[in-house]
Amino acid sequence: MNFNLGEVLTRAWQITWKYKILWIFGILAGCGRGGSSFNGSSNGGGGNGGGNGGNNGFNFNLPPLPPQIERLGQQIAHNVVPFVVILVAIICFIFLLAIFLGTIGRIGLIRGTQAADGGAERLGLGQLFSESKPYFWRVLGLSLVVGIPLFLLVMIPLALVLVYVFGQGGQTNPALILGFFSVFIGCMCLLIPVMMVVNLVIRQAESAVVIENLGVFAAVHRGWDVFKKNLGPMILIAIILFLITAAIGILIAIPILLVVVPAFFAFAFTQARNFTPLILALLCLVAYWPISLVANGILTTYSESVWTLTYLRLTQPKEIAPVQLPDA
């Protein structure tokens, strides 16, 4: 198989830059792949009033909360069950929405890349969205084929341990529990290479569903066949994309670190009494969020375009592969 890696990487960038409508689907695909979140936590230690000893560390004596927040906390405490139900419902809704948008985004990128590589002059948002819907359940099914067994593989052992612990009334051997978690973590580490292979196969299977209109299990078989016969190009593409995404991801994160780290230290040096640095940092993050979202969308568009073109180049006969003709 004559696989031109440079042509795939270059062509994917040409498509990414020319057909900017695909960035929207890249942003949507990022919803399903998972995003980054910024969580900050601090543990404060308060000194006792009667002591004469010194304290060389920071003393985080937080100021009293505003009355509105205190009343809100009291209302939540008095209505714990409805609050938990509403919170769980919101989380489930966001989770399902992310799955839907992520699946549509990946399908749209595959369809758009295929059309662009075939010579389409322009791509329409409505057109790509409509053309993506017939493949939705099958692409989602591929995620379930992998996700459900993995979920059960992780949760069943944990559930058995919890049942055992509660069944013993908490009187269990700590060494036994520690040994189980050590073995469990070791097995999860061994599972990482397997999941990397599965991820590569599923990527090819998604392309098979959209490009060749295959069913779920036929697509999995097709994805495995493409992966098995082209192991070298697959691993090479995976490594290159990992390096590219890691480097660009660091660049995208640098402005966040430049805002968050100084704000945290400024907050600490004011003995946690002045919230102004944190508020300014939050405003900066909110302003930077659209830029980060678009940048990640472009990166996702390029990555998915590379995988789609890889599938096309590895599965299409050479004579029907797109060829750049010289100008007359």
Side-chain angles (χ1 to χ4, degrees), residues 163-185:
V163 170
Y164 171 74
V165 170
F166 285 107
Q168 298 295 322
Q171 303 298 321
T172 57
N173 186 354
L176 181 63
I177 301 300
L178 180 61
F180 167 80
F181 279 107
S182 299
V183 173
F184 179 77
I185 293 174

Side-chain angles (χ1 to χ4, degrees), residues 1-37:
M1 175 64 68
N2 185 17
F3 179 75
N4 191 335
L5 175 62
E7 186 271 338
V8 168
L9 296 176
T10 303
R11 181 61 175 153
W13 175 247
Q14 291 172 349
I15 291 174
T16 300
W17 188 251
K18 179 179 179 181
Y19 300 90
K20 295 178 176 59
I21 193 68
L22 294 178
W23 298 1
I24 297 177
F25 289 91
I27 294 173
L28 296 180
C31 297
R33 298 292 184 191
S36 61
S37 59

